Structure formats: structure tokens, C-alpha cells
């Protein structure tokens, strides 16, 4: 929701800042998902250990995860600064490129507190206690809107910083989120048994290896998915500024529904992993298929909502008639792929609960890069459907991943010992 609020507020200062925001968000998450994937290994590992009644192992996992992700967050910052310096070579409108470079540099620095927050958020998920991260996120969204109002538009004595102001707000909020979640973890009495405090001398090579074995393929799977959408944004930038702004609006709306599904999918990971730790095949299948049913049902409702309000929703972002018209068409496509988006998100998640991550990574590569992107380019440029054609390609990729991962979970869950 922070991204949604940023786009709503940035859209008020012009089409170019909104287009730059779209470009940067795509590129930023293209790199950041590697870190998200690495931290995502924590949840199933904690849930499996907890399901097996091995409490002290949970503390060992978190200690190693803090070390691994701390190092990796620095690598992410370096990669993002390099990427920011290359934006001017991406054949984007000049004004968009200038705004995007400084915005991405600020977001890059915010990756360090974001990764710290992620480590302890994944711990909370692993022990099936998710209220604290949720409350922190809600408060952070409120403060993000306030800081945006101050920094973007220039209030309370601050000068107007435009798009950069949204970046500074994100950096400040992520720092506060990291501090808040660490304070809560280390000061909760019932977590003392896990021995979560960081201890550099107690490095476990086997746990680090397991984190990397699950986390890196998960990160690359996210990278391949988000990368396809990021590359789509670059292709749309070749078409024009209005198309890129419309893409950002439609992506913002689709991302809003996806966040709810991501929560359901995470619950699927937790419940499947917990049952896996207990070697309970029936509960594994029940948890996995429940997550998929819920995801598909909720996304079907969002699809109907998008179709009904496709002309109204873009007006919340901009008042440019051309951008609104393009966005309305994209929202129809987004409505059509909602169910498949829900299935692919939950399919990847429940397979992760079984620590099955390498094959889903290959499925993502084939679906998004071998099939989806070429189809989008074909429809977008050869058949001259423009932005709509590129989105048709993205829809095909989501459908393939959803169907194939669902079938794979059905097969694997039957043969688990």
C-alpha cells in the first residue's frame, strides 16, 4: 500500500514523475525481490522446526538469517546504485530518466532497514503470529502518507521535493519499521525460549547452506517474475510516456489485490510447512488446497470489481484523458488474469512450504521469459496492439505458472512420506 499511496500522491504533480515512479518501482523490485526471496526461506524453516517441536533451532535459524541477509542487503544497495547510473541508457523520455535516477538511489539505501524488517517479519510468520508485523505496516502506511505530504509537496517548513520526497519518506519509514519490529521481538517474553539475540560466534554452516538452498532459488523465482513485469515497463516506455503512466496505474491496482493474496499464500506456506514438519500428509494437502481455493475466490471478486470500476479507478491517479483511456483497457486485462495470479502466488507458496523451490524457479523462467515476454512483444509491436498487447503476454505467463505449480503440488503432496 505504500507504493499505492506514493503513486496516488506523485500522480498529483505530473505525468512524468508518475512515469518515473513506474519505471523505478519496476527496476527496484527487480533487484529487491532477490532479498525478499532470500528472507522467505526463514518462514518455512521456522515453521518446520516449530512443527517438529525444535524450539532452539528457531533461534539458530534467525541468527544465521540476520548475518546472511545483513551481508546481502549491502550487496543489494551496490547493485541498485549501479542500476540507477544505467537508467539514462534505457531509451526513456529524458525528464523521466533524470527523475528516476535520484529516486532509485534513495530507495536503494532504504533496502538495508527493509531487509532487517523482513528477517523478523518472517520469524513472526514462521511461528504463526502475524499481528505485530501487520500493525507496524498499518502505522507505517499512515506515517508514509504524512511524510509524503511533507516532503513531496513541501509543508511544515520543508521545501517541495517532488518524486525524491516520496523516496525520503520511504527511507524514513523503513528505518522506523525495522526499529519497531526488533524492539517487539526482543522484548516479548514468550520468544525468550527461541534465543533470538544475535551472536556472531555461533555461525552454523549447515543452517546457512539451507537458507541459501531455499532462499536463492526463491529469490531468482521472484526475480524472473518481477523481471518480466519490469522489462514490460521498459518496452512500454518505448511506446510513450502516457502508456507507461497507464501501466503504473493498472499495476498499482493489480498489486493491491495481489497483496491480499500474498497474505493468504504466506499462510499456505506456514500451514503446509508446519504439517510437513509433523509428517502429516492429509494436513499438507488440506492446507495447500484451501490456500488455492481462497486465492482463486478472492481474486475472482477483485476481477469483477476492476471491470465495474475500470473508468473510475484511473481518475484517482491522474486527470489526463489519454492515460485514463489506456489504463481502463489494461484494467480489463488485469481483471481477466486475477484468478491465475492468485493460483500462481499460492502455488509457488505452498510448494515452498515443502521446500520445493528449484523446479518452480525453472517453471517461472520458461513461462515468463521463454513464452510471456515474446508473446507480449509480438502482440505489442508486430500486431501493433501497443500496451494492451504487452499485457496479454504477461497474462499468458501468469496463467502458465498458476496451472503448472498447482499440478505439481497435487503430485508432490501425494507422494510425501
Amino acid at each position: 500500500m505504500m507504493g499505492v499511496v506514493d503513486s496516488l500522491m506523485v500522480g498529483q504533480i505530473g505525468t512524468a514523475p508518475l512515469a518515473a515512479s513506474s519505471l523505478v518501482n519496476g527496476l527496484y523490485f527487480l533487484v529487491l525481490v532477490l532479498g525478499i526471496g532470500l528472507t522467505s526461506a526463514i518462514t518455512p524453516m521456522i515453521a518446520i522446526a516449530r512443527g517438529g517441536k525444535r524450539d532452539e533451532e528457531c533461534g539458530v535459524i534467525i541468527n544465521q538469517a540476520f548475518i546472511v541477509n545483513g551481508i546481502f542487503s549491502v550487496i543489494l544497495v551496490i547493485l541498485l546504485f549501479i542500476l540507477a547510473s544505467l537508467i539514462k541508457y534505457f531509451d526513456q523520455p529524458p525528464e523521466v530518466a533524470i527523475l528516476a535516477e535520484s529516486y532509485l538511489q534513495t530507495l536503494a539505501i532504504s533496502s538495508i532497514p527493509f531487509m532487517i524488517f523482513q528477517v523478523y517479519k518472517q520469524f513472526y510468520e514462521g511461528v504463526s503470529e502475524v499481528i505485530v508485523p501487520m500493525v507496524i505496516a498499518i502505522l507505517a502506511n499512515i506515517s508514509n502518507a504524512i511524510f509524503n505530504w511533507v516532503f513531496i509537496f513541501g509543508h511544515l517548513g520543508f521545501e517541495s521535493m517532488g518524486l525524491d520526497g516520496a523516496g525520503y519518506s520511504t527511507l524514513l519509514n523503513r528505518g522506523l519499521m525495522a526499529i519497531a519490529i526488533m524492539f517487539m521481538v526482543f522484548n516479548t517474553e514468550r520468544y525468550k525460549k527461541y534465543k533470538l539475540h544475535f551472536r556472531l560466534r555461533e555461525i552454523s554452516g549447515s543452517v546457512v547452506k539451507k537458507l541459501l538452498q531455499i532462499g536463492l532459488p526463491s529469490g531468482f523465482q521472484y526475480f524472473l517474475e518481477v523481471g518480466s513485469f519490469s522489462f514490460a515497463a521498459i518496452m512500454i516506455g518505448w511506446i510513450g510516456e502516457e502508456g507507461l503512466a497507464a501501466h503504473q496505474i493498472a499495476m498499482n491496482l493489480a498489486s493491491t489485490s495481489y497483496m491480499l493474496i500474498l497474505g493468504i499464500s504466506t499462510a499456505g506456506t506456514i500451514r503446509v510447512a508446519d504439517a510437513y514438519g509433523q509428517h502429516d500428509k492429509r494436513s499438507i494437502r488440506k492446507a495447500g488446497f484451501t490456500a488455492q481455493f481462497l486465492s482463486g475466490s478472492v481474486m475472482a471478486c477483485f476481477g469483477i470489481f476492476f471491470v465495474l470500476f475500470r473508468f473510475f479507478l484511473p481518475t484517482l491517479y491522474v486527470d489526463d484523458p489519454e492515460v485514463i483511456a489506456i489504463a481502463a483497457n489494461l484494467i480489463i486485462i488485469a481483471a481477466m488474469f486475477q484468478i491465475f495470479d492468485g493460483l500462481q502466488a499460492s502455488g509457488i507458496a505452498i510448494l515452498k512450504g515443502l521446500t520445493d523451490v528449484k523446479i518452480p524457479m525453472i517453471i517461472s523462467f520458461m513461462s515468463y521469459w521463454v513464452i510471456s515476454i515474446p508473446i507480449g512483444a509480438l502482440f505489442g509491436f508486430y500486431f501493433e496492439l501497443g500496451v494492451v498487447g504487452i499485457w496479454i503476454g504477461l497474462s499468458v505467463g501468469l496463467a502458465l505458472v498458476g496451472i503448472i505449480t498447482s499440478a505439481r503440488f497435487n503430485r508432490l503432496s501425494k507422494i510425501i512420506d
Side-chain angles (χ1 to χ4, degrees):
M1 285 304 297
M2 283 189 183
V4 174
V5 171
D6 286 350
S7 294
L8 285 169
M9 300 181 79
V10 166
Q12 305 307 309
I13 59 176
T15 300
L18 183 60
S21 173
S22 173
L23 177 63
V24 167
N25 285 332
L27 294 173
Y28 177 63
F29 282 104
L30 178 62
V31 176
L32 188 65
V33 290
L34 294 172
I36 294 174
L38 194 60
T39 60
S40 72
I42 299 169
T43 296
M45 289 179 67
I46 291 288
I48 291 170
R50 184 168 173 265
K53 310 300 181 184
R54 303 186 301 274
D55 290 341
E56 287 198 12
E57 187 177 322
C58 296
V60 175
I61 293 168
I62 289 299
N63 287 332
Q64 312 314 303
F66 189 90
I67 296 170
V68 171
N69 288 283
I71 295 171
F72 200 72
S73 66
V74 175
I75 296 173
L76 288 179
V77 172
I78 295 171
L79 289 175
L80 287 164
F81 264 83
I82 294 172
L83 188 58
S85 68
L86 297 175
I87 287 178
K88 54 180 170 285
Y89 301 111
F90 289 176
D91 194 25
Q92 300 296 302
E95 185 181 1
V96 171
I98 293 171
L99 291 170
E101 182 173 356
S102 61
Y103 182 47
L104 181 54
Q105 289 173 344
T106 306
L107 290 184
I109 299 171
S110 75
S111 301
I112 294 176
F114 175 81
M115 289 290 285
I116 294 172
F117 175 81
Q118 278 292 114
V119 168
Y120 294 103
K121 170 182 171 289
Q122 300 297 136
F123 163 76
Y124 270 110
E125 291 178 354
V127 297
S128 299
E129 297 184 23
V130 296
I131 299 300
V132 169
M134 182 191 73
V135 171
I136 291 173
I138 290 172
L139 294 175
N141 271 278
I142 296 171
S143 64
N144 182 57
I146 295 171
F147 289 136
N148 274 349
W149 178 74
V150 172
F151 297 146
I152 294 175
F153 303 110
H155 294 289
L156 302 181
F158 288 85
E159 63 179 38
S160 174
M161 301 179 191
L163 181 59
D164 283 341
Y168 294 134
S169 176
T170 299
L171 174 59
L172 180 57
N173 270 284
R174 286 181 171 171
L176 293 174
M177 289 172 72
I179 292 170
I181 200 166
M182 290 180 72
F183 176 83
M184 292 302 297
V185 166
F186 295 141
N187 289 278
T188 300
E189 186 62 34
R190 63 181 176 278
Y191 297 151
K192 302 294 184 183
K193 63 181 179 181
Y194 297 123
K195 300 181 179 179
L196 298 174
H197 287 282
F198 175 69
R199 297 180 295 278
L200 183 60
R201 291 176 295 178
E202 298 181 15
I203 296 178
S204 171
S206 61
V207 175
V208 170
K209 182 180 179 181
K210 188 69 173 177
L211 282 165
L212 295 176
Q213 284 177 336
I214 299 175
L216 288 179
S218 296
F220 281 114
Q221 184 275 317
Y222 288 141
F223 176 84
L224 292 166
E225 179 182 348
V226 175
S228 66
F229 281 85
S230 298
F231 189 73
I234 292 173
M235 289 196 294
I236 291 167
W238 299 338
I239 296 172
E241 187 176 288
E242 290 77 12
L244 192 58
H247 169 76
Q248 172 65 0
I249 292 170
M251 280 301 300
N252 245 211
L253 294 169
S255 297
T256 303
S257 62
Y258 180 78
M259 286 301 101
L260 181 57
I261 296 308
L262 190 60
I264 295 172
S265 301
T266 300
T269 299
I270 296 166
R271 303 318 308 158
V272 168
D274 189 79
Y276 187 42
Q278 300 177 50
H279 305 285
D280 185 345
K281 182 187 296 187
R282 182 176 180 276
S283 294
I284 288 172
R285 290 178 60 81
K286 183 178 179 180
F289 290 128
T290 299
Q292 294 218 290
F293 174 77
L294 284 172
S295 297
S297 300
V298 170
M299 288 301 249
C301 293
F302 272 110
I304 295 171
F305 175 80
F306 285 164
V307 170
L308 292 176
F309 295 97
R310 63 188 181 277
F311 294 109
F312 168 72
L313 293 171
T315 63
L316 299 175
Y317 295 81
V318 294
D319 55 10
D320 186 322
E322 184 176 356
V323 173
I324 292 171
I326 297 171
N329 288 330
L330 297 185
I331 290 170
I332 292 177
I333 300 174
M336 294 171 62
F337 71 55
Q338 287 294 288
I339 293 178
F340 289 119
D341 201 12
L343 288 179
Q344 71 86 22
S346 57
I348 292 290
I350 57 182
L351 286 175
K352 189 182 299 177
L354 300 176
T355 68
D356 179 45
V357 291
K358 292 182 181 178
I359 297 301
M361 177 184 69
I362 296 171
I363 292 170
S364 293
F365 172 72
M366 296 299 295
S367 298
Y368 294 124
W369 289 96
V370 177
I371 298 174
S372 175
I373 291 296
I375 288 177
L378 180 67
F379 279 89
F381 299 108
Y382 183 79
F383 290 110
E384 299 183 348
L385 294 180
V387 183
V388 171
I390 293 172
W391 268 61
I392 290 173
L394 294 174
S395 301
V396 172
L398 290 170
L400 286 172
V401 176
I403 294 169
I404 297 171
T405 55
S406 298
R408 181 169 176 80
F409 175 80
N410 182 50
R411 186 178 70 84
L412 289 181
S413 62
K414 288 180 179 178
I415 60 177
I416 290 173
D417 294 330

